[in-house]
Amino acid sequence: MRKTINTACPRNCYSSCSFKVEVEKSQIISIENQPLNKATSEGPCLKGLSYIERVRSGNRILYPQLKLKGEFVRISWDEALTIISNRLTEFKTRFGSHSILFYAASGMSGLLNNVSYNFWRLFGGVTTTYGNLCWPAGLEATRLTLGDNRHNSPWDIENAGLIVLWGKNPAESNIHQSVFIEAAQRKGAKLVVIDPRRTPSSERADLFLQPIPGTDAILALAVAKLIIESNDHSIDFINSYVIGFEKFYELLDNVNIHEASIECGVPVSFISELADLMGSVTPMTIVPGYGMQRYSNGGQTIRCLLALSVITGNIGREGACWHYANLQSYIFDLKKEPESYYPVQDADNPFRRSIPTATLGKSMQAVKSPKLKMAWVERGNPVAQNPDTNETIRAFRKLEFVVVVEQFMTDTALEADLILPAKSMFEQSDIIGSYWNPYIQLKQKVIDPPGEVKPETEIYYLLANKLRFSQEDIDSYIPFPDDKSTDDWLANYLKDHDGLSLEVLKEGPVMAPGIQHVAFSDMNFNTPSGKIELFSVEAEKMWGVNPLPTYEKVLEGHGNRQNDYPLCLLSPVTKNRIHSQFGNLDCIKMLDNEQFVAISSMDASERGIENNDDVRVFNDRGEVKTKARLDNSLRTGNVVIYNGYWNSEGGSPNLLSIDRETDMGHGTAFHDNMVEVELIR
Ligand SMILES: Nc1nc2c(c(=O)[nH]1)N[C@H]1C(S)=C(S)[C@@H](COP(=O)(O)OP(=O)(O)OC[C@H]3O[C@@H](n4cnc5c(=O)[nH]c(N)nc54)[C@H](O)[C@@H]3O)O[C@H]1N2
Ligand SMILES: Nc1nc2c(c(=O)[nH]1)N[C@H]1C(S)=C(S)[C@@H](COP(=O)(O)OP(=O)(O)OC[C@H]3O[C@@H](n4cnc5c(=O)[nH]c(N)nc54)[C@H](O)[C@@H]3O)O[C@H]1N2
Ligand SMILES: [Mo]
């Protein structure tokens, strides 16, 4: 008998699509769109459709496996849990529980991820990570300025007269947004794209600017100066809602348009055109991407861009929006990624020792008293996705015991001593929010796990029993491993929210209670002054940056070379992968099979490189051997390797990236990254 079940995609992706799954004989046979979600009504992308292959892939890890003499061998769950509980007890007794690292990242979202923390707290606390690989510099820049991370509902872009995709490529990273942008364009909106490389998103632009990576702040300050000098700023808005405008204007005295043009590599005429558009076309929505804030100056850069929305009064109205992150559906305080954002200060907290995600490999090796002996990794692929892969591998290899909970044999799973099979999204219900659309969604269970796969909550339940945690603790903090108990656990989160229940969510997505479709329409800003803060005392106090939005040179990049490498490596996301996921599927390989480094013909010919040649991309940190693809849509001086590739596919660009924090928010400055490319003869 066929059944249709509503569910939602829990990947770390803007769209967080709703979709319907048809199931027959415990097999998923089709994935269809769910029109009730106004943001994703067209249905999922190719990756979403590829789940049919992904869940039943022959490459899935289906059983616990132990590494013996370098080979993984199948063991029973009871053996696996006995080995793990023995090692946990041993390390805790000999060195203290903080000799164990718990590392989780963004592979799967959902409220049940909190159970992991419950388990490790009951265990007595372990070392964890703080900060985040993804978006925190921009989150913090926005919070300092507007008080909160909220934006207008996705479909509001249709109301914009001017849309600026600033370092964002939604045609690949947020395809559902492209639908609204196209609708706006049909109504006459102008589209500006600002990106060092031409992308599918820039193909539709009216104006396309290609700055030198990491220099957007000076471009934005130059635009601000021209807007104010032409008297195109919004004086009433500024007088009513903004503090620090005078000081900001004084700062712009130091900005010379011609020098700015040279610094960012954008001709003066283009800077003027952008200023004219921003000064005259309203309402304007700026959509800053997350890639652009993964630089050492990322937070200050985002503050400079946001200043343009502020001085033109493009906040709090239809079509007028700073479209960075919309956390309005995060009503259960669930974060996009599970790590806490800031180091734990409180000595009594079981997680009192945490290390920065941005410097994971180095910090794992550096911590003392106690040294790390063991790691538990789930929902993450740090060997491929965290910066400085070689350092990360060294850190894992120094440990005595590594457990990885995974669906597939990733680069990190290969470093494990013991692998536990991980569930897929279809094998356990959970509740998710979105950082782009305003819905709360039930990611419904649609099939039983294959093989001996168990959801993490069940693994923790069994392990808690092995370790003889008290029955009372187990009952309070870890759901009993069956569907009914999991549902009850989830229902408990919903009970205090009017209009939300499992029954309602089973029918499809539900708008988060209290949603503001036009963010900040009440002009309430949760900043210390209650106004929009161009001048932020908190920015200086917390992060030691200038209280005003300023241009700071990147620590490693063009014009500020810490080493002798001449090319800047960009490692953006690509259409058919979510970071390190999906690339191993046949249906994805058909379209996107071979890794390459994109290089402009000028840079290639200087190095005697022709299209499709084998090349080595390298710096002091490592190398990636891959194929060259000549690409003249790329700004000369830059090369591109998409992120998410496994070692077996050529290697992660993080073999080349440095482990450095961003200027604020404890983010990761992957993109301060200079390299050289040479022909392999
Ligand atoms: N060079 C460079 N590096 C980058 C970036 C970049 O721009 N450039 N971007 C960064 C960004 S923005 C991000 S968000 C990170 C993403 O990096 P990660 O957070 O590590 O995310 P993924 O690679 O998507 O997924 C990690 C793993 O989770 C597994 N997984 C999926 N579902 C489950 C589950 O239910 N349980 C368990 N146990 N595992 C599961 C998947 O199989 C996958 O191997 O990468 C960062 N790395
Ligand atoms: N298909 C797909 N979609 C995804 C993901 C995925 O892996 N695959 N990952 C999701 C996640 S976790 C994230 S964080 C987002 C990331 O998606 P986006 O926010 O779109 O970020 P990126 O792809 O990292 O970078 C976007 C663009 O910024 C450009 N860029 C790089 N440096 C600079 C700069 O200095 N200045 C300017 N102006 N532009 C620059 C890059 O060339 C790139 O085209 O996508 C989400 N959606
Ligand atoms: Mo991300």
Side-chain angles (χ1 to χ4, degrees):
M1 206 188 52
R2 279 192 188 187
K3 268 196 308 190
T4 302
I5 303 174
N6 291 311
T7 194
C9 184
R11 296 283 80 79
N12 183 355
C13 172
Y14 295 96
S15 294
S16 311
C17 297
S18 307
F19 53 82
K20 298 188 228 174
V21 181
E22 266 195 310
V23 186
E24 191 172 50
K25 296 190 189 131
S26 300
Q27 290 275 27
I28 295 175
I29 54 168
S30 82
I31 289 178
E32 306 289 341
N33 65 322
Q34 165 54 281
L36 289 173
N37 186 328
K38 272 176 73 181
T40 66
S41 59
E42 283 75 13
C45 64
L46 185 69
K47 301 178 290 298
L49 301 176
S50 79
Y51 281 129
I52 297 180
E53 179 186 340
R54 187 171 167 99
V55 258
R56 55 172 100 147
S57 162
N59 295 327
R60 254 188 89 175
I61 296 169
L62 298 178
Y63 312 98
Q65 300 183 40
L66 181 69
K67 199 185 262 167
L68 285 175
K69 299 199 183 102
E71 298 285 318
F72 285 107
V73 293
R74 180 174 167 181
I75 55 172
S76 71
W77 267 105
D78 193 58
E79 284 172 291
L81 294 167
T82 305
I83 295 170
I84 294 171
S85 72
N86 287 345
R87 299 309 303 257
L88 285 172
T89 309
E90 175 200 340
F91 294 129
K92 184 175 170 178
T93 318
R94 286 175 59 201
F95 310 105
S97 61
H98 289 81
S99 63
I100 296 154
L101 171 74
F102 172 64
Y103 179 85
S106 73
M108 170 75 82
S109 51
L111 289 173
L112 290 173
N113 292 338
N114 293 338
V115 173
S116 323
Y117 286 89
N118 292 353
F119 173 88
W120 293 111
R121 194 177 298 114
L122 294 177
F123 179 71
V126 283
T127 300
T128 53
T129 52
Y130 66 86
N132 184 287
L133 299 174
C134 186
W135 58 344
L139 284 184
E140 183 59 4
T142 305
R143 188 192 70 80
L144 290 166
T145 313
L146 300 177
D148 225 336
N149 277 278
R150 254 184 274 159
H151 66 56
N152 298 7
S153 287
W155 43 89
D156 174 70
I157 281 199
E158 275 196 59
N159 299 320
L162 174 64
I163 300 164
V164 183
L165 294 176
W166 203 318
K168 183 167 176 184
N169 175 20
E172 297 199 64
S173 67
N174 188 187
I175 56 170
H176 303 84
Q177 181 169 62
S178 301
V179 177
F180 300 116
I181 294 173
E182 200 180 303
Q185 284 187 292
R186 277 201 301 271
K187 292 193 214 163
K190 292 256 181 282
L191 177 67
V192 178
V193 175
I194 305 176
D195 196 311
R197 34 173 218 132
R198 256 166 83 172
T199 65
S201 307
S202 66
E203 294 306 289
R204 290 164 184 275
D206 299 288
L207 176 66
F208 174 46
L209 275 51
Q210 281 185 287
I212 294 167
T215 65
D216 298 83
I218 191 68
L219 170 61
L221 294 178
V223 171
K225 180 165 180 153
L226 292 177
I227 291 174
I228 300 169
E229 282 178 350
S230 314
N231 240 342
D232 283 339
H233 54 307
S234 192
I235 296 168
D236 289 346
F237 182 90
I238 292 168
N239 287 342
S240 309
Y241 306 119
V242 180
I243 65 157
F245 177 75
E246 291 306 323
K247 291 195 180 102
F248 179 63
Y249 188 39
E250 275 166 34
L251 172 98
L252 296 179
D253 273 350
N254 305 324
V255 175
N256 171 295
I257 305 297
H258 291 274
E259 285 168 16
S261 157
I262 291 166
E263 184 72 16
C264 68
V266 176
V268 171
S269 60
F270 281 53
I271 300 180
S272 303
E273 202 175 331
L274 181 56
D276 285 347
L277 279 171
M278 286 192 170
S280 61
V281 184
T282 188
M284 169 178 76
T285 291
I286 298 184
V287 188
Y290 298 165
M292 198 182 34
Q293 47 90 60
R294 280 181 226 116
Y295 287 89
S296 51
N297 62 5
Q300 283 296 81
T301 297
I302 293 290
R303 289 182 72 210
C304 290
L305 271 51
L306 175 46
L308 294 170
S309 297
V310 172
I311 63 169
T312 55
N314 278 301
I315 303 279
R317 286 184 294 128
E318 282 190 354
C321 173
W322 169 253
H323 206 100
Y324 184 73
N326 192 18
L327 305 193
Q328 297 191 70
S329 64
Y330 285 22
I331 56 168
F332 312 104
D333 200 26
L334 97 167
K335 302 241 171 65
K336 170 161 161 268
E337 286 165 41
E339 324 94 294
S340 67
Y341 278 47
Y342 300 107
V344 177
Q345 308 284 351
D346 168 8
D348 297 334
N349 187 315
F351 300 123
R352 63 187 168 274
R353 188 165 84 172
S354 55
I355 57 178
T357 276
T359 61
L360 183 74
K362 207 174 283 157
S363 298
M364 279 172 71
Q365 297 171 78
V367 288
K368 298 209 164 62
S369 322
K371 284 186 173 177
L372 288 181
K373 298 287 174 188
M374 170 175 168
W376 175 292
V377 179
E378 68 183 42
R379 294 174 270 128
N381 185 4
V383 170
Q385 292 310 110
N386 290 49
D388 203 342
T389 298
N390 286 317
E391 199 68 67
T392 312
I393 291 177
R394 267 194 289 280
F396 275 103
R397 291 191 182 163
K398 281 184 184 162
L399 299 174
E400 288 182 26
F401 193 60
V402 177
V403 177
V404 176
V405 191
E406 246 307 344
Q407 296 172 348
F408 293 99
M409 272 297 175
T410 62
D411 294 355
T412 306
L414 289 170
E415 295 302 320
D417 296 291
L418 200 156
I419 300 176
L420 298 176
K423 69 186 183 299
S424 81
M425 66 165 279
F426 302 103
E427 294 150 16
Q428 185 180 39
S429 292
D430 207 340
I431 289 170
I432 64 167
S434 164
Y435 50 98
W436 177 67
N437 74 49
Y439 296 99
I440 312 280
Q441 307 203 57
L442 182 64
K443 170 187 77 72
Q444 256 192 107
K445 175 172 175 177
V446 295
I447 49 172
D448 284 323
E452 292 184 2
V453 170
K454 295 182 192 300
E456 283 82 351
T457 49
E458 181 170 351
I459 301 175
Y460 285 122
Y461 182 88
L462 297 172
L463 212 45
N465 280 290
K466 274 258 184 243
L467 288 162
R468 299 186 196 288
F469 290 3
S470 81
Q471 197 56 48
E472 195 189 333
D473 278 346
I474 296 176
D475 293 345
S476 313
Y477 295 104
I478 305 176
F480 184 79
D482 65 18
D483 293 346
K484 160 97 181 40
S485 308
T486 308
D487 280 0
D488 291 347
W489 195 269
L490 295 175
N492 204 36
Y493 278 102
L494 302 174
K495 68 177 188 324
D496 298 331
H497 297 276
D498 284 346
L500 286 182
S501 67
L502 281 186
E503 287 60 44
V504 171
L505 287 174
K506 279 181 186 162
E507 301 303 315
V510 175
M511 208 73 84
I515 195 90
Q516 257 182 349
H517 288 296
V518 175
F520 305 107
S521 50
D522 52 4
M523 295 295 161
N524 275 332
F525 300 98
N526 188 23
T527 55
S529 64
K531 293 197 168 187
I532 299 175
E533 299 204 346
L534 280 183
F535 185 91
S536 164
V537 177
E538 210 185 346
E540 185 178 33
K541 250 194 353 221
M542 283 187 75
W543 307 107
V545 297
N546 195 308
L548 287 166
T550 51
Y551 169 59
E552 309 294 336
K553 278 179 184 286
V554 289
L555 294 176
E556 180 184 320
H558 288 295
N560 199 13
R561 297 205 190 140
Q562 272 195 340
N563 52 33
D564 294 330
Y565 297 102
L567 298 168
C568 178
L569 173 68
L570 303 175
S571 48
V573 306
T574 174
K575 187 162 65 185
N576 294 324
R577 295 163 183 256
I578 288 282
H579 298 292
S580 67
Q581 306 192 55
F582 297 98
N584 59 335
L585 304 180
D586 289 337
C587 67
I588 299 293
K589 281 191 202 148
M590 281 192 297
L591 295 154
D592 172 9
N593 58 352
E594 229 188 4
Q595 193 195 38
F596 59 88
V597 56
I599 182 167
S600 74
S601 354
M602 197 147 82
D603 288 327
S605 73
E606 277 175 14
R607 292 163 176 79
I609 294 168
E610 291 180 17
N611 199 30
N612 237 8
D613 276 347
D614 290 321
V615 294
R616 189 169 87 95
V617 186
F618 65 97
N619 60 19
D620 293 345
R621 294 180 284 267
E623 65 173 20
V624 175
K625 287 182 177 157
T626 187
K627 294 259 182 227
R629 185 176 294 179
L630 268 48
D631 181 350
N632 288 330
S633 65
L634 184 62
R635 200 192 156 93
T636 305
N638 304 289
V639 292
V640 179
I641 302 177
Y642 293 127
N643 87 76
Y645 282 85
W646 296 6
N647 217 359
S648 53
E649 300 176 288
S652 164
N654 287 314
L655 284 156
L656 302 157
S657 64
I658 191 169
D659 52 348
R660 184 186 277 138
E661 284 200 8
T662 50
D663 53 352
M664 58 183 72
H666 302 297
T668 313
F670 295 100
H671 301 328
D672 273 37
N673 193 1
M674 298 300 279
V675 300
E676 178 57 290
V677 181
E678 70 178 15
L679 185 67
I680 299 177
R681 290 180 198 279

